[in-house]
Amino acid sequence: MQLPDNAGSLKVLLGKSGELVSPVKTFLNEFNYHVKLNPKSSFSYSTKPDLEYAVFVPTGEIHINDEVTGKSHLLIFSNDCATIHLYNPGIVEAHAFIFGGGEYTEPIVAEGPFVMNSSREIIQAYDDFFEDAYGAITMNANN
């Protein structure tokens, strides 16, 4: 989707924005948008109070709500932030990812490659893994 005033573009990677909808199923209104901002351009994104928001800037420098944000920086917004305003002060295209979703309220336990809701579920995941319950990756001899 082209941004107003030739400011750049917004691509929906996950979730939906207006008429744009990703084919990936979501469960808590998760979303991830790739914003490309043209030089000396700005874009304002209106938030919803029931969702959590963050912005990741992988390269370059962007001003986000008047705060200078540099390469590989993540900003997390409070629920009272009504608008996320992005401005590219540079002379080359800048990139940002706006992402978030509904609040996740279940407990989270992470160990190794597994993320579950309890230590008991982590133990079961390891047992399943070592019993080959997750299947196997095989190589095709023609590739």
Side-chain angles (χ1 to χ4, degrees):
M1 162 177 98
Q2 293 302 309
L3 300 178
D5 302 322
N6 195 33
S9 64
L10 181 142
K11 182 175 184 178
V12 175
L13 304 174
L14 179 69
K16 62 183 177 179
S17 179
E19 300 295 318
L20 301 175
V21 179
S22 166
V24 179
K25 184 177 180 178
T26 62
F27 300 93
L28 294 170
N29 295 317
E30 299 96 337
F31 59 90
N32 190 342
Y33 311 138
H34 179 193
V35 178
K36 293 180 185 178
L37 274 180
N38 291 329
K40 309 294 183 197
S41 295
S42 63
F43 169 64
S44 291
Y45 183 82
S46 297
T47 65
K48 297 178 183 175
D50 58 332
L51 298 177
E52 296 179 338
Y53 290 84
V55 176
F56 177 70
V57 180
T59 60
E61 179 180 285
I62 294 179
H63 296 197
I64 301 176
N65 292 5
D66 296 324
E67 182 177 331
V68 178
T69 305
K71 179 180 178 180
S72 295
H73 193 81
L74 174 70
L75 285 178
I76 299 172
F77 295 89
S78 62
N79 288 350
D80 63 349
C81 177
T83 303
I84 298 173
H85 181 77
L86 307 174
Y87 171 67
N88 176 8
I91 60 171
V92 296
E93 181 180 77
H95 299 263
F97 292 89
I98 301 173
F99 64 97
E103 182 180 2
Y104 190 80
T105 58
E106 294 183 28
I108 298 172
V109 177
E111 185 176 312
F114 302 110
V115 179
M116 308 300 268
N117 295 117
S118 70
S119 295
R120 181 178 301 259
E121 289 177 346
I122 292 286
I123 292 167
Q124 184 63 53
Y126 273 109
D127 288 346
D128 291 345
F129 174 78
F130 288 116
E131 292 175 9
D132 292 327
Y134 293 128
I137 298 173
T138 58
M139 295 290 291
N140 184 337
N142 296 328
N143 288 337

